[in-house]
Amino acid sequence: MEHVSGVALNDIWSQMPEVQHIEFIECMGKLAKELCALDFRALGSLYLNTADKPPGAHPIDEEYCIGPHCGRQFWGYNDDQATQAAIPLGFQGPYLTHISEATVDQRGSTQKAVEDHSQLLKLSRKTLEVVGDTTTFQDACSPLLFHPDLHARNIIVDPNHPTQILGIIDWQSAAVEPAFVHAVETPDFAEEQLLDKTLDADVSHDSLEAEHHAQRCKRTWAVMAFLCPKLGKATTLNPALCRYLAGVSSGCSDEATSLRSLLMDVSSEWKELGIPGVCPYQPSQADAELLSLELDQLESTQRLRAYLSRLLRCEMDGWIEEGRWHEVVPIYREQYAEFVSACIASWEEDETAEDAEKKADKLWPFDLR
């Protein structure tokens, strides 16, 4: 493994003039185009093509082969057969749905929650079967090797010439996946910044030009992605359908709220998709009301997660560098205590303090208490 010299893009991005932002995105797009031009005949993770390669692996050449996907969404709660082989020119969604079905029963949820989630999985599988027969789907699911986390912290550039990309790190989760998995993601260097009312209280709200520049960056990346083989076709998918397919491929079927939201979006767009018949998932008014409540809770958790990530300078999944643990934990515990206290102070009329504390605990995005 070679050491990559240079600096992480996120350490220098704010110091770059706007024109260099656009130039960098164009350079990154050219690299992405080269990566997308590689052809594969199966879906899964890359392995060395040696005597101890996984059973059923598909050889690429004398050095490498494609075997079972190593992503955690394929682990499930047991050693499921779906994880034992690469998937030749197929789609991971049905495999993941099967793993989710085996997982739901082992979570210790209430019987009602299990039945509700199981029904969603059955309807999702039927939806995948219908969508999978369409030409639109087939054009967007070509096997594609792409970086799973193409964000500024993982891109190393020349500090004196930041449009020159020296390397990209953190490839351990990369795999050959359907192209649409990566069509829904916009790298953070091409995203509009979301300001936090607490952390960004001193930021001038007269930042229309900065907003316009962020939109230019996003449009530039969209053009570069469209020009990439395989990925370009996936970017033309109906957004609701693309989010649904990518979500199922990434393990969203494990979460009832996420799956319900994705299915409801696809159902509402079904006529625009041009697929004959009706969507297998037909939500009732009660389903819509339940989803609205669940999404409110999920949005609160996501906002809290984003706030804590910026405050503590940690990853969105809570990961921090080992050397910063003792610095971060006291701040983290203080934030948790303040959050619980705020929830108790504003509990609903039909709640007790204990109910409010349980709700706070449920909304808190990380495991450590």
Side-chain angles (χ1 to χ4, degrees):
M1 185 178 295
E2 299 180 10
H3 175 75
V4 181
S5 58
V7 298
L9 178 65
N10 63 333
D11 291 336
I12 201 172
W13 183 261
S14 62
Q15 304 166 31
M16 296 164 58
E18 292 182 351
V19 66
Q20 281 193 336
H21 288 168
I22 303 298
E23 291 173 354
F24 167 81
I25 293 173
E26 291 174 345
C27 290
M28 190 68 251
K30 292 176 182 177
L31 281 181
K33 188 174 181 180
E34 292 180 25
L35 190 59
C36 292
L38 298 175
D39 287 322
F40 299 93
R41 303 300 298 171
L43 302 172
S45 294
L46 297 178
Y47 295 80
L48 294 174
N49 193 6
T50 58
D52 57 352
K53 63 186 177 185
H58 293 254
I60 299 174
D61 52 30
E62 293 183 356
E63 292 188 73
Y64 301 100
C65 62
I66 299 177
H69 199 304
C70 295
R72 66 178 61 188
Q73 67 269 32
F74 281 85
W75 298 353
Y77 273 55
N78 52 30
D79 190 16
D80 192 271
Q81 290 299 313
T83 67
Q84 296 303 306
I87 307 173
L89 285 180
F91 170 39
Q92 299 143 314
Y95 289 78
L96 285 166
T97 300
H98 182 61
I99 292 174
S100 295
E101 288 172 343
T103 298
V104 167
D105 288 334
Q106 303 180 46
R107 277 196 172 147
S109 302
T110 64
Q111 184 63 29
K112 176 69 170 62
V114 170
E115 291 174 356
D116 179 58
H117 197 163
S118 297
Q119 180 63 17
L120 285 174
L121 289 169
K122 290 176 182 177
L123 293 169
S124 179
R125 188 169 60 248
K126 290 179 180 179
T127 302
L128 291 174
E129 291 171 357
V130 175
V131 171
D133 289 335
T134 64
T135 302
T136 303
F137 168 80
Q138 297 297 333
D139 288 343
C141 71
S142 300
L144 174 67
L145 177 66
F146 205 74
H147 196 288
D149 192 16
L150 194 63
H151 294 310
R153 65 180 179 276
N154 291 326
I155 302 172
I156 309 300
V157 298
D158 185 328
N160 299 314
H161 305 281
T163 59
Q164 182 179 348
I165 302 169
L166 302 179
I168 302 175
I169 61 173
D170 202 16
W171 286 87
Q172 64 267 25
S173 298
V176 182
E177 300 179 291
F180 53 69
V181 169
H182 302 286
V184 296
E185 294 289 341
T186 300
D188 57 0
F189 54 78
E191 268 287 15
E192 299 176 47
Q193 184 181 10
L194 298 177
L195 300 180
D196 182 272
K197 64 180 182 180
T198 301
L199 298 178
D200 301 305
D202 296 331
V203 175
S204 171
H205 292 283
D206 186 20
S207 55
L208 190 59
E209 179 54 37
E211 183 179 338
H212 287 167
H213 174 62
Q215 292 171 353
R216 287 193 292 271
C217 288
K218 189 169 186 175
R219 287 195 298 269
T220 302
W221 176 256
V223 170
M224 300 308 295
F226 178 75
L227 295 175
C228 290
K230 308 180 189 72
L231 182 62
K233 284 188 176 181
T235 62
T236 64
L237 268 180
N238 175 281
L241 179 59
C242 194
R243 287 194 302 271
Y244 167 66
L245 294 172
V248 172
S249 258
S250 302
C252 283
S253 296
D254 283 354
E255 298 298 331
T257 299
S258 298
L259 183 57
R260 193 192 317 277
S261 176
L262 292 170
L263 282 169
M264 194 167 292
D265 287 345
V266 169
S267 180
S268 66
E269 296 280 326
W270 196 258
K271 289 184 179 179
E272 285 71 18
L273 296 177
I275 303 175
V278 297
C279 179
Y281 178 69
Q282 292 294 310
S284 64
Q285 182 62 34
D287 291 330
E289 293 173 356
L290 174 61
L291 178 62
S292 178
L293 178 61
E294 291 176 335
L295 287 180
D296 282 345
Q297 295 176 344
L298 182 61
E299 184 180 351
S300 297
T301 297
Q302 295 291 50
R303 284 201 306 267
L304 185 57
R305 182 188 296 274
Y307 166 78
L308 290 170
S309 176
R310 289 187 57 193
L311 177 69
L312 304 174
R313 291 185 293 118
C314 69
E315 301 295 334
M316 288 289 281
D317 62 2
W319 185 88
I320 60 170
E321 300 94 333
E322 185 177 356
R324 297 187 57 240
W325 178 256
H326 295 295
E327 164 200 342
V328 168
V329 169
I331 304 174
Y332 173 92
R333 293 194 186 282
E334 180 182 354
Q335 290 292 316
Y336 175 68
E338 290 180 0
F339 179 72
V340 172
S341 296
C343 288
I344 292 175
S346 59
W347 75 52
E348 304 289 341
E349 290 184 1
D350 58 344
E351 287 183 330
T352 65
E354 184 178 357
D355 292 333
E357 187 170 351
K358 286 181 179 179
K359 180 186 291 186
D361 206 52
K362 185 177 180 180
L363 290 173
W364 190 255
F366 301 124
D367 293 336
L368 183 64
R369 296 292 185 264

